[in-house]
């Protein structure tokens, strides 16, 4: 083997990742630095009990969400991995849909269920419960899928061997399957913690001032009060928390057991196991799909029963108009998707070729940083672009590119290198070998990443709230404006817009064949 080959691969990898690194520098590192430079960092702000409570609540709700997601998701994932369940593949595929549902749609669904006159009969508005339920809506599917992937890698013959030695099914699961899958399970719980700690839309819309997270407080300090020094202190601590959580996630993910399970016909669950599986599945489906169903129903049901007045209201003369919001939403989303595929794809290729943990970590940075902080940093760093559309599109690309990278990277790492070498030995050039051998193998992951990225950009809310102008209004902005107005008509129209946005997200995800995973 040529001793210079690893060095060439490293240089090539960093070269491929250079465009993505330039994007990160221009639209993440420099804006954050500018934000901190503008007002300094008033660390003394942390002496105020109010900010201490905001940090404590942010951590409590993130830990609570992780614990509840693990409590429901891990047992369900284990049972799905060990028993033959009808429509299992469809269920696992459908569980990706809440993850790509726009935040405003989720908020509308939760209000339809647990708001004033909600279908559940419980009014949980401005409570801790509705914020955690919202976090579970987004993150329970992620916990189930990642846990299922971990348990599915445990060979069934190891559990069967424990059973032949006299262990009960529960004891075999706890003593054999759980230790082997534990690093992956903990990585999933850490990812749920990270997403919950950085949540903005749900606490902003549903939590009120009492249950505002650090992310909401940063927005308030920067957008309304212009107290950038205090906001800088909050951003600094938030960055520390997210860096620690992300480092823990990568460390645990790297230690996940990569076993190859043998093929085995799975038995049907019976008796108490079947009842437990059915109960866990029903609860999970209710948490994950109840809000989606509720928001769709609320868009057609008024005080006097079925009505189409909310949908007809969307076509009245509004500013912004429905056609403008639809055109902006779709145009911005597809332009951002093209950018995300370019930058995210190159970042994944570079990380794979260089085998660099640093590049791996850098690809996660946009998921670790407050979109609100970034948007304010853009306005300070690029004042001449504050009224220009490219700045908003750059924010969309930055937020979407990591989803492409994280979906594509595992597929690249799983590529059989010998197939590429065989193609080259038969006379194919490297580009042709990639086009004819590698691309078909990684195409499903690439489509999945594209589906995640497109659905995410369609409903992006935080950066849009800060950077958007009236003529750039999207469906998310239309929903937020109607929610800010009193009256049942505005609420119903917001539900109709949310249903439309949900339909666009699900259609894009389905058409692209979304099978991606954020890992």
């Amino acid at each position: 083997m040529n001793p210079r080959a690893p060095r060439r691969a490293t240089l090539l990898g960093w070269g491929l990742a250079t465009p993505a690194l330039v994007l990160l520098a221009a639209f993440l590192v420099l804006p954050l630095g500018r934000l901190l430079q503008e007002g300094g960092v008033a660390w003394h702000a942390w002496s105020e009990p109010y900010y201490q409570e905001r940090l404590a609540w942010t951590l409590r709700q993130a830990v609570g969400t992780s614990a509840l997601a693990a409590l429901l998701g891990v047992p369900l994932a284990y049972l799905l991995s060990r028993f033959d369940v009808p429509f299992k593949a469809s269920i696992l595929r459908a569980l990706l849909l809440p993850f790509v549902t726009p935040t405003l749609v989720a908020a509308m669904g939760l209000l339809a269920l647990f708001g004033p006159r909600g279908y559940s009969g419980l009014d949980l508005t401005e409570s801790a419960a509705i914020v955690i339920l919202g976090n579970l809506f987004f993150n329970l599917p992620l916990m189930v899928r990642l846990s299922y992937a971990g348990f599915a890698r445990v060979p069934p013959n190891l559990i069967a061997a424990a059973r032949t030695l006299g262990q009960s099914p529960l004891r075999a699961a706890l003593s054999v399957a759980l230790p082997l899958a534990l690093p992956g399970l903990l990585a999933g719980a850490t990812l749920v913690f990270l997403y919950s700690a950085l949540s903005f839309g749900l606490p902003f819309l549903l939590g009120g001032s009492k249950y505002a997270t650090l992310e909401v407080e940063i927005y308030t300090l920067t957008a309304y009060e212009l107290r950038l020094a205090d906001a800088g202190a909050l951003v600094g601590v938030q960055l520390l928390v997210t860096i620690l959580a992300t480092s823990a996630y990568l460390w645990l993910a790297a230690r996940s057991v990569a076993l190859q399970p043998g093929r085995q016909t799975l038995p049907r669950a019976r008796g108490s196991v079947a009842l437990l599986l059915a109960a866990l599945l029903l609860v999970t489906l209710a948490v994950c799909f109840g809000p989606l169903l509720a928001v769709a129903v609320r868009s057609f049901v008024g005080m006097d029963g079925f009505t189409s007045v909310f949908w007809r209201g969307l076509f009245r003369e509004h500013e912004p108009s429905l056609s403008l919001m639809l055109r902006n939403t779709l145009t911005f989303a597809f332009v951002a998707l093209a950018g995300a595929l370019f930058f995210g794809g190159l970042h994944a290729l570079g990380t794979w070729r260089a085998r660099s943990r640093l590049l791996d970590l850098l690809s996660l940075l946009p998921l670790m940083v407050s979109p609100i902080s970034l948007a304010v940093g853009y306005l300070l760093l690029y004042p001449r672009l504050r009224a220009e559309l490219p700045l908003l599109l750059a924010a969309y690309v930055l937020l979407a590119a990591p989803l492409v990278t994280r979906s594509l990277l595992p597929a690249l790492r799983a590529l059989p290198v010998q197939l590429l070498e065989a193609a080259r030995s038969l006379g194919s050039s490297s580009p042709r070998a990639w086009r004819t051998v590698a691309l078909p193998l990684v195409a499903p992951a690439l489509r999945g990443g594209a589906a995640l990225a497109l659905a995410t950009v369609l409903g992006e809310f935080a950066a849009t709230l800060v950077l958007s102008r009236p003529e750039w209004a999207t469906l998310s902005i239309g929903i937020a404006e109607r929610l800010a107005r009193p009256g049942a008509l505005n609420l119903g129209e917001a539900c109709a817009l949310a249903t439309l946005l949900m339909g666009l997200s699900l259609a894009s995800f389905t058409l692209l064949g979304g099978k991606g995973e954020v890992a």
Side-chain angles (χ1 to χ4, degrees):
M1 179 178 177
N2 188 343
R4 296 185 178 180
R7 184 179 180 185
R8 284 204 301 265
T10 299
L11 291 175
L12 176 61
W14 281 88
L16 287 170
T18 296
L21 297 178
V22 171
L23 180 74
L24 287 175
F27 294 102
L28 191 146
V29 178
L30 293 178
L32 273 184
R34 184 67 180 86
L35 173 63
L36 298 177
Q37 178 190 17
E38 177 70 18
V41 180
W43 294 112
H44 61 80
W46 284 109
S47 63
E48 297 184 27
Y50 177 77
Y51 293 135
Q52 295 173 15
E53 176 55 31
R54 295 283 66 76
L55 173 61
W57 162 243
T58 299
L59 297 178
R60 284 200 308 271
Q61 58 92 26
V63 170
T65 301
S66 298
L68 287 173
L71 185 65
L72 287 171
V74 171
L76 175 59
Y78 177 76
L79 294 175
L80 287 174
S81 71
R82 293 299 161 223
F83 293 98
D84 180 24
V85 178
F87 309 109
K88 182 197 299 186
S90 298
I91 291 171
L92 290 171
R93 180 178 169 79
L95 283 176
L96 267 178
L97 299 181
F99 185 76
V100 299
T101 297
T103 301
L104 284 171
V105 175
M108 293 302 306
L110 289 164
L111 286 174
L113 284 174
F114 302 109
R117 298 186 299 276
Y119 296 130
S120 69
L122 298 173
D123 186 358
L124 301 180
T125 50
E126 296 192 3
S127 70
I130 199 168
V131 174
I132 293 178
L133 277 172
N135 286 339
L136 276 178
F137 166 82
F138 281 115
N139 294 302
L140 178 56
L142 188 67
M143 191 71 210
V144 172
R145 287 180 60 90
L146 292 178
S147 300
Y148 176 82
F151 284 127
R153 286 194 292 265
V154 178
N157 61 303
L158 294 181
I159 300 175
R163 295 281 290 118
T164 61
L165 293 175
Q167 292 190 2
S168 65
L170 178 60
R171 183 72 180 272
L174 294 176
S175 62
V176 178
L178 184 60
L180 291 174
L182 189 59
L185 304 183
L186 292 176
T190 304
L191 204 59
V192 171
F193 170 88
L194 187 62
Y195 286 143
S196 301
L198 292 176
S199 176
F200 169 74
L202 288 176
F204 176 73
L205 294 167
L206 304 177
S209 58
K210 184 176 180 181
Y211 297 104
T213 58
L214 278 185
E215 186 80 342
V216 175
E217 199 60 40
I218 290 169
Y219 172 70
T220 302
L221 289 172
T222 54
Y224 290 109
E225 301 179 16
L226 298 179
R227 294 165 56 186
L228 297 182
D230 288 353
L234 270 61
V235 169
V237 172
Q238 185 185 59
L239 276 175
L240 177 62
V241 171
T242 53
I243 287 172
L244 290 175
T246 304
S247 300
Y249 164 72
L250 291 175
W251 185 83
L252 289 165
R255 280 152 181 78
S256 297
V257 178
L259 297 173
Q260 294 296 327
R263 289 186 175 274
Q264 182 175 346
T265 302
L266 298 177
R268 284 291 184 97
R270 301 184 183 280
S272 59
V273 174
L275 290 175
L276 177 61
L277 175 58
L280 289 171
L281 193 55
L282 285 174
V283 171
T284 299
L285 293 178
V287 169
C288 297
F289 297 101
L292 300 182
L293 180 62
V295 73
V297 170
R298 179 57 66 91
S299 71
F300 289 101
V301 177
M303 296 292 292
D304 300 321
F306 177 83
T307 180
S308 61
V309 67
F310 303 137
W311 286 91
R312 293 200 310 270
L314 299 182
F315 295 92
R316 295 199 311 267
E317 288 193 10
H318 280 292
E319 287 296 337
S321 66
L322 177 61
S323 59
L324 176 67
M325 291 187 291
L326 267 174
R327 183 170 65 250
N328 287 342
T329 299
L330 293 173
T331 303
F332 298 169
F334 281 101
V335 171
L337 174 62
L341 287 172
F342 175 75
F343 289 104
L346 286 179
H347 201 148
L349 282 171
T351 303
W352 174 65
R353 288 305 300 265
R355 298 184 179 181
S356 170
R357 290 189 178 182
L358 178 57
L359 283 176
D360 197 356
L361 176 62
L362 290 175
S363 72
L364 282 167
L365 278 181
L367 302 177
M368 297 164 46
V369 178
S370 158
I372 293 297
S373 304
L374 287 178
V376 175
Y378 292 167
L379 298 178
L380 295 173
L381 183 63
Y382 305 114
R384 294 184 179 180
L385 294 177
R386 68 173 58 192
E388 300 295 332
L389 186 58
L391 196 61
L392 179 61
L393 295 177
Y396 286 166
V397 172
L398 183 75
L399 295 173
L403 300 174
V404 175
T405 303
R406 304 313 301 179
S407 290
L408 185 57
L409 196 52
L412 290 171
R413 287 170 172 163
L415 273 179
V417 180
Q418 62 271 22
L419 289 183
L420 292 173
E421 294 175 349
R424 285 195 290 265
S425 68
L426 293 174
S428 293
S429 63
S430 291
R432 185 177 181 184
W434 266 94
R435 187 176 66 253
T436 58
V437 177
L439 186 58
L441 294 175
V442 302
L446 185 61
R447 289 198 304 271
L452 288 172
L454 181 59
T456 298
V457 174
L458 280 171
E460 206 291 321
F461 176 59
T464 309
L465 191 63
V466 178
L467 297 175
S468 185
R469 291 170 52 180
E471 61 267 31
W472 303 340
T474 61
L475 290 175
S476 293
I477 295 297
I479 295 171
E481 289 180 349
R482 283 165 174 79
L483 285 177
R485 304 170 191 159
L489 180 61
N490 285 310
L491 179 60
E493 289 184 4
C495 286
L497 281 176
T499 302
L500 180 59
L501 184 55
M502 177 173 62
L504 288 176
S505 298
L506 300 188
S508 66
F509 192 75
T510 302
L511 290 174
L512 284 170
K515 297 181 181 180
E517 199 74 82
V518 181

